[in-house]
Amino acid sequence: MRFTIEQRHLTDDHGKPLRPGAVSFHVYDGESAEDVVRIFVKKNAAEVLGDVLQFPGYQAVATMRSQAGVFTLQVTPASATFSSPGSS
């Protein structure tokens, strides 16, 4: 199944908050929303903070930390024809 990940940057690598709107979008294929979070986190040499919160309809939210800072990830199902600049 194809999923879209909205990656919202919360802090920079020094723990300082970033300006509102620092967001990017990525497209991944996986068995579930949680599976896609794990793939994305591994690809970015990061770690999940806390639990991956799953919601009905194959949606999930997670918090991720990497050397680049702290991010929230919102995962939703995507159409097979979805394409976005910067897609993975």
Side-chain angles (χ1 to χ4, degrees):
M1 186 168 186
R2 181 160 288 175
F3 293 89
T4 299
I5 297 176
E6 176 185 320
Q7 180 184 15
R8 188 163 300 274
H9 306 255
L10 301 176
T11 69
D12 63 16
D13 57 346
H14 299 292
K16 301 211 184 259
L18 292 177
R19 63 176 170 71
V23 65
S24 58
F25 294 90
H26 313 273
V27 178
Y28 280 83
D29 293 324
E31 296 294 319
S32 67
E34 184 173 6
D35 184 42
V36 170
V37 167
R38 303 271 179 227
I39 292 167
F40 185 79
V41 166
K42 184 176 180 180
K43 180 178 178 189
N44 287 279
E47 66 178 312
V48 173
L49 300 176
D51 296 322
V52 176
L53 303 174
Q54 296 186 56
F55 299 98
Y58 299 102
Q59 297 183 16
V61 173
T63 304
M64 174 184 99
R65 177 175 54 203
S66 72
Q67 289 185 356
V70 176
F71 310 86
T72 59
L73 306 175
Q74 182 171 335
V75 182
T76 55
S79 116
T81 59
F82 178 84
S83 133
S84 171
S87 296
S88 296

